[in-house]
Amino acid sequence: AAGVIQSPRHLIKEKRETATLKCYPIPRHDTVYWYQQGPGQDPQFLISFYEKMQSDKGSIPDRFSAQQFSDYHSELNMSSLELGDSALYFCASSFGLAGSTDTQYFGPGTRLTVL
Amino acid sequence: AQSVTQPDIHITVSEGASLELRCNYSYGATPYLFWYVQSPGQGLQLLLKYFSGDTLVQGIKGFEAEFKRSQSSFNLRKPSVHWSDAAEYFCAVGADNTDKLIFGTGTRLQVFP
């Protein structure tokens, strides 16, 4: 079965640079979620989108922005990168607007390293 | 506010032994509970979930979990562990009116042959 696709899988950036992470949800899924998992940490919710509109917002820094496009893929844009942004970034998708009461299917993650 | 506690940071078992990973949650209403597994460098794979109904839920890879409201627990069990089960296990809770899953800090399972 098709899964959530994230690209790139690995990304290395310098401090103060920008990064764009992409997420392609499971076909027919209309909701995407972004999570950040720091080293040795549990995943922390950043933001979610349903039908191209922001649905919920968590602890996402102002330097980060995200959007969902007409084909339901989503992009997380990160500017002025800091060392502390180094983490594994997960995208998850689900069908419908039940939020955390739906089953969220996670992608393999993008490992971002900021030097 | 919802929260999830996984009391065991690290568990080591022998292959073939039984396993129980503990998870306690804090939430006023009936929670939506999940167990995910993460292999090193990999994403999160859903093992099982509880929304309502039968409190004993079966998942993939031979795992099961039991929801106990009186104890605010959702412990994960497996009768016989395989070496390939070595991974990090996360319990998570979801709630109405929010999209976010709240994860526990995870339990790292090590399996000895």
Side-chain angles (χ1 to χ4, degrees), chain B residues 39-95:
Chain B
S39 297
Q42 301 299 310
L44 295 161
Q45 182 181 22
L46 179 69
L47 286 175
L48 47 76
K49 62 187 178 185
Y50 172 78
F51 285 1
S52 65
D54 194 347
T55 57
L56 183 64
V57 293
Q58 302 297 320
I60 62 171
K61 304 185 179 186
F63 285 93
E64 66 177 26
E66 186 172 12
F67 170 63
K68 292 186 177 180
R69 183 189 300 278
S70 61
Q71 298 177 19
S72 297
S73 69
F74 188 57
N75 294 348
L76 182 71
R77 301 193 294 248
K78 186 169 184 178
S80 179
V81 171
H82 188 263
W83 64 266
S84 61
D85 293 324
E88 185 94 21
Y89 290 80
F90 289 97
C91 180
V93 64

Side-chain angles (χ1 to χ4, degrees), chain A residues 44-105:
Chain A
Q44 296 290 316
F45 174 76
L46 293 177
I47 196 166
S48 59
F49 292 86
Y50 168 70
E51 286 289 346
K52 294 150 282 186
M53 298 289 289
Q54 181 179 308
S55 176
D56 198 359
K57 192 173 181 180
S59 49
I60 182 169
D62 292 340
R63 299 177 290 106
F64 294 6
S65 65
Q67 57 182 323
Q68 186 180 30
F69 295 84
S70 57
D71 63 351
Y72 296 108
H73 94 273
S74 177
E75 294 183 4
L76 177 65
N77 297 291
M78 310 158 70
S79 62
S80 302
L81 287 169
E82 302 174 357
L83 296 178
D85 295 329
S86 294
L88 193 55
Y89 290 83
F90 287 112
C91 173
S93 74
S94 69
F95 176 73
L97 190 55
S100 67
T101 62
D102 258 338
T103 300
Q104 297 180 21
Y105 295 90

Side-chain angles (χ1 to χ4, degrees), chain A residues 11-62:
Chain A
L11 189 59
I12 299 175
K13 291 286 186 178
E14 300 276 344
K15 278 195 320 184
R16 292 181 288 278
E17 286 191 322
T18 61
T20 297
L21 279 53
K22 298 184 178 182
C23 168
Y24 298 86
I26 292 171
R28 293 189 296 281
H29 280 194
D30 48 16
T31 307
V32 295
Y33 315 78
W34 287 97
Y35 289 81
Q36 177 191 56
Q37 184 181 29
Q41 304 290 312
D42 53 293
Q44 296 290 316
F45 174 76
L46 293 177
I47 196 166
S48 59
F49 292 86
Y50 168 70
E51 286 289 346
K52 294 150 282 186
M53 298 289 289
Q54 181 179 308
S55 176
D56 198 359
K57 192 173 181 180
S59 49
I60 182 169
D62 292 340

